[in-house]
Amino acid sequence: MLFLVIVFKREELYNPMISIYSSKFAVILIIILAGIFGLQLMSNSGNSPLIDAETCELYIKDPQISGKRYLNEFDSKCMEFKNLNP
């Protein structure tokens, strides 16, 4: 928020309308979207499902029990590969 105040000049702080065609608007929008993208990456990094190589079942690592938690779902590409190479 402090960065947004520094970007604007003093007289522009009192102007409630900002033109969507100005370069300042584009920079502010890019910074906001990059921040949202960064937050999504940080929050989803540990929750991606993994594939069990033996059963092709999807699981996630559960930090509460320090083990695997199976999702009762199977990866279709893994199953096809297992069927082709017995």
Side-chain angles (χ1 to χ4, degrees):
M1 193 67 177
L2 179 64
F3 178 73
L4 295 177
V5 174
I6 294 171
V7 170
F8 292 116
K9 293 179 184 175
R10 185 179 186 109
E11 61 269 3
E12 291 178 350
L13 286 175
Y14 301 110
N15 186 1
M17 299 296 290
I18 183 169
S19 174
I20 62 171
Y21 301 110
S22 71
S23 61
K24 291 177 186 175
F25 179 75
V27 169
I28 292 169
L29 187 63
I30 290 170
I31 290 171
I32 290 171
L33 292 176
I36 292 170
F37 180 68
L39 287 173
Q40 286 180 342
L41 283 178
M42 287 188 295
S43 66
N44 291 334
S45 63
N47 295 336
S48 61
L50 303 170
I51 301 172
D52 189 346
E54 294 179 10
T55 62
C56 293
E57 191 170 0
L58 298 176
Y59 69 92
I60 59 173
K61 292 183 180 178
D62 194 354
Q64 293 177 345
I65 60 171
S66 299
K68 299 177 182 177
R69 193 176 101 208
Y70 287 92
L71 303 175
N72 295 327
E73 296 179 20
F74 296 90
D75 185 52
S76 60
K77 291 182 182 178
C78 179
M79 296 295 284
E80 290 174 8
F81 184 74
K82 288 258 186 203
N83 290 336
L84 292 176
N85 298 323

